[in-house]
Structures are given as C-alpha cells and as structure tokens.
Amino acid sequence: MVVRVDKIMSELGFGSRSEIKKYAKAGKIRINDKVIKKADEKIDSERDKLYFEGRQVVVEEFETYVLYKPAGYVCATKDNVHKTVMELIDSDRKNIVPVGRLDLDTEGLLILTNDGALNHRLVSPASHVDKIYYAKFDGTLADDAIECTAKGLDIGEGEVSKPAKLEILSSDEVKLTIHEGKYHQVKRMIKALGGEVTYLKRIAFGGLNLDDLNLKKGESRKITEEEVEKLV
C-alpha cells in the first residue's frame, strides 16, 4: 500500500492533516532514515518504516474487528447521549465504522472495519450473507409463521422483508436468519408474525459464530484472515 503520510497519520489519530503538516515542518516525522519536511510525501507500507518522534508507527491498510456487543451501546462513531461501540475496540484509527447496526438493546456479534469493499459485501442484500439472530418474545406467533417468513413479510411502512428462515425453538424463542438489515428488522418481522421481541442477540454473521470467537460480552479483537474468509 502506497499512501500519503498526512493521510495515514491522521487516520491513526496523530492529529488533523494540518497538524501533521506542522509536525513534518518541525522535523518530527521520519521515513526510514530520512527526516521529511513535507507531510504529503508517500510511504510504501510494505517496504518503508514510518517514525514519529523516534517511535515507529505501525501502518496497516485495513483494520477489522469482531466485537461481542453488549446492550446499552449504539452502533455509531459518535453519540451525544449513549456510549458507542467504538469505545470497545482498541484502535486509534478514525475511519473505522460498524458494519451495519445492532439496536441499542440488542447484543451479539458485530463487525467493525475501515475496509469499504468488505463493508459493502457484508451489508449488501445481493451478497446473501447470513445474519442469524436468537430472539425471545411475548405473544403467540401465527400458525404459518415459518411459511410466511420464507415468502417475505409486510413489516410496515411500505417495506417487505426478503425471504428468510425462521426456526421455532420453543413457545417464546426463535432463531431467524436474514440477508438484509432494515431498521429494527427482526423486531418488525416478529411483530408481523404476532410476537413482541423482549430479547435479541445476533449469534452469527456469515460463517462466523459468536460462540466460536471466545469473546466475553464487551470484548473485541482484530479478526484473523481465516475469519475474514468465513465472513464472505
């Protein structure tokens, strides 16, 4: 990856591009053995080493994380009211975003990345990436709930869910597999079937299962290359 010094350093949280420019003029930035004076110089991350005030800066093109999201956190980079999922990952990158969203009260597997192509593949309904949810609910589902879900449900506001897979686990528990991410989709689908969700948890995303990730609630880590392959 060849990238401008000011771009990568601002993404890594060293400051704004104008601040990086000042650091360069002050002689605080070095590429290999050369002190640079212009922040728009480029670095090859596979061949060059970047230093700031004598300490090496680790340059990675993409960072992707798996997180066991707890309830009470919003899937946003900033929020004036609630805590955000960004507080639960160990990264200074400023361009990492959640892939899709889980509601404030929803738990489970969340992916965060700055890889735009990966993000698009994971959220696009055309990619048919499975998202599996476990839900508890009040009420009684329609007798033909499985068949109706497989055909697509009218979930209100002029929207119809794409065909999905419903598994009834008990009188108040289901597992639902969908390939899209409309606003409050799972809750709206269960409601269309006669129930009211009381607890919701995403247990799988693509080929990744939350139980296999060895994460406690609120924990995150960088994803492995093998796990990325399972995702898509």
Side-chain angles (χ1 to χ4, degrees), residues 56-232:
Q56 186 174 351
V57 178
V58 179
V59 179
E60 292 181 283
E61 183 173 8
F62 299 125
E63 286 185 18
T64 301
Y65 293 82
V66 284
L67 166 67
Y68 185 166
K69 178 193 175 296
Y73 288 79
V74 293
C75 290
T77 54
K78 294 180 181 179
D79 192 273
N80 294 325
V81 178
H82 302 288
K83 296 174 289 188
T84 78
V85 292
M86 309 309 297
E87 299 173 40
L88 300 174
I89 64 169
D90 184 19
S91 177
D92 294 322
R93 296 293 283 258
K94 302 301 182 184
N95 59 345
I96 295 175
V97 298
V99 176
R101 58 171 290 152
L102 294 177
D103 294 339
L104 177 67
D105 59 350
T106 300
E107 301 178 353
L109 176 55
L110 182 69
I111 310 298
L112 302 99
T113 189
N114 61 346
D115 184 341
L118 174 64
N119 194 334
H120 177 73
R121 290 200 302 275
L122 292 176
V123 300
S124 172
S127 298
H128 296 285
V129 176
D130 284 350
K131 303 176 187 71
I132 306 178
Y133 295 82
Y134 164 80
K136 297 190 72 172
F137 64 92
D138 288 335
T140 302
L141 300 186
D143 292 338
D144 58 350
I146 293 176
E147 292 77 14
C148 290
T149 303
K151 294 177 182 178
L153 297 167
D154 182 345
I155 57 176
E157 300 180 13
E159 293 186 304
V160 177
S161 66
K162 292 185 179 297
K165 180 182 179 182
L166 177 70
E167 299 175 64
I168 299 177
L169 305 177
S170 71
S171 60
D172 65 349
E173 299 173 290
V174 295
K175 188 186 293 185
L176 182 63
T177 304
I178 63 176
H179 306 110
E180 53 184 343
K182 291 182 169 64
Y183 182 67
H184 291 327
Q185 180 166 346
V186 173
K187 294 175 181 176
R188 292 163 69 191
M189 291 176 71
I190 299 299
K191 188 172 184 178
L193 294 169
E196 192 76 29
V197 170
T198 58
Y199 173 78
L200 186 59
K201 178 180 181 180
R202 182 192 281 163
I203 58 175
F205 198 135
L208 290 186
N209 291 292
L210 184 61
D211 288 344
D212 296 333
L213 297 177
N214 298 316
L215 293 173
K216 295 179 181 179
K217 197 178 298 184
E219 287 186 341
S220 67
R221 62 168 172 80
K222 283 188 178 180
I223 199 170
T224 66
E225 291 184 10
E226 293 79 8
E227 288 168 342
V228 171
E229 292 177 0
K230 288 182 179 180
L231 266 178
V232 293

Side-chain angles (χ1 to χ4, degrees), residues 20-31:
I20 305 302
K21 184 178 181 180
K22 292 178 182 177
Y23 295 149
K25 286 184 177 180
K28 295 183 177 183
I29 303 173
R30 175 163 55 93
I31 298 177

Side-chain angles (χ1 to χ4, degrees), residues 4-20 92-95:
R4 284 174 47 141
V5 169
D6 54 356
K7 179 179 185 296
I8 192 65
M9 288 189 68
S10 63
E11 288 179 0
L12 288 170
F14 285 89
S16 65
R17 292 201 183 191
S18 60
E19 289 173 325
I20 305 302
D92 294 322
R93 296 293 283 258
K94 302 301 182 184
N95 59 345

